Amino acid sequence: MTDAPSAPVDPFSPRTLAIERMRKRPQFLACAQAPSCARGAVVVQARERADGSEVVHAGFTATRRIGGAVTRNRAKRRLREAARLLLPDHARPGFDYVFIARGGAPARPWPRLLDDVKSALIRLAPDNDRRAPAPPPSPAA
C-alpha cells in the first residue's frame, strides 16, 4: 500500500476550523482573565489555550441584566449564529472565545450585530499577535 502525496495547501481556499462549544464554568472563568473587546451589543474575550490543539472553543453568555429567559436566549441564539458565520474567517486556531451579550443584542439589526462581532474579533487579533516574536527585518537591497 502506497501513500498518495497530499495535495498542496491553497492559501486562498476557505479555511476549515474545528469549532467546539464551551460548556464548563472553569473555561469561561479562564477566558474572563484574557483580553476583551466591547463593540456595540457584544463583548468578545479571546484566550490562547497553549495546549497544542488547533480546535477553537466558543462560549456564549448573557446576564439577567439583559432581560428575562426568553430575551437572554434570543441574544445567545443571535450570537451563536454570528459566531458560526464569522469564526471560520477570523478565529485563531488554539484559542477560546467567549461572546457576552450586552443590552442591545436581542434587538440590534442583524447587519450591525455582525459588524460588532467582526470588528471585535479583528480588534483582538493584534493583541494576540504581540505575544509572538516579531519576524526579522528583510535585508535592504
Side-chain angles (χ1 to χ4, degrees):
M1 187 180 244
T2 62
D3 291 332
S6 61
V9 177
D10 180 15
F12 299 107
S13 68
R15 205 165 81 171
T16 57
L17 267 176
I19 300 173
E20 295 179 359
R21 289 274 307 276
M22 291 172 39
R23 299 182 192 277
K24 304 286 184 182
R25 188 168 190 265
Q27 293 174 305
F28 285 88
L29 292 176
C31 224
Q33 304 302 317
S36 65
C37 180
R39 291 284 189 264
V42 66
V43 175
V44 179
Q45 300 169 335
R47 175 181 85 96
E48 186 174 10
R49 284 192 316 275
D51 62 358
S53 172
E54 294 291 314
V55 177
V56 172
H57 292 151
F60 306 90
T61 186
T63 65
R64 290 195 331 201
R65 185 182 276 177
I66 301 297
V70 173
T71 306
R72 290 194 312 269
N73 288 337
R74 178 167 190 217
K76 288 188 285 187
R77 277 195 311 270
R78 296 181 88 213
L79 289 179
R80 280 194 297 269
E81 181 61 15
R84 185 187 70 79
L85 294 173
L86 296 172
L87 279 179
D89 293 329
H90 299 285
R92 299 182 158 267
F95 276 74
D96 290 344
Y97 292 93
V98 173
F99 298 85
I100 304 169
R102 294 173 82 185
R108 191 145 179 106
W110 182 243
R112 289 190 62 196
L113 184 65
L114 281 177
D115 229 19
D116 293 343
V117 173
K118 183 177 178 179
S119 65
L121 288 171
I122 290 170
R123 169 65 180 89
L124 286 170
D127 286 346
N128 298 328
D129 285 343
R130 282 188 214 140
R131 294 184 191 141
S138 59

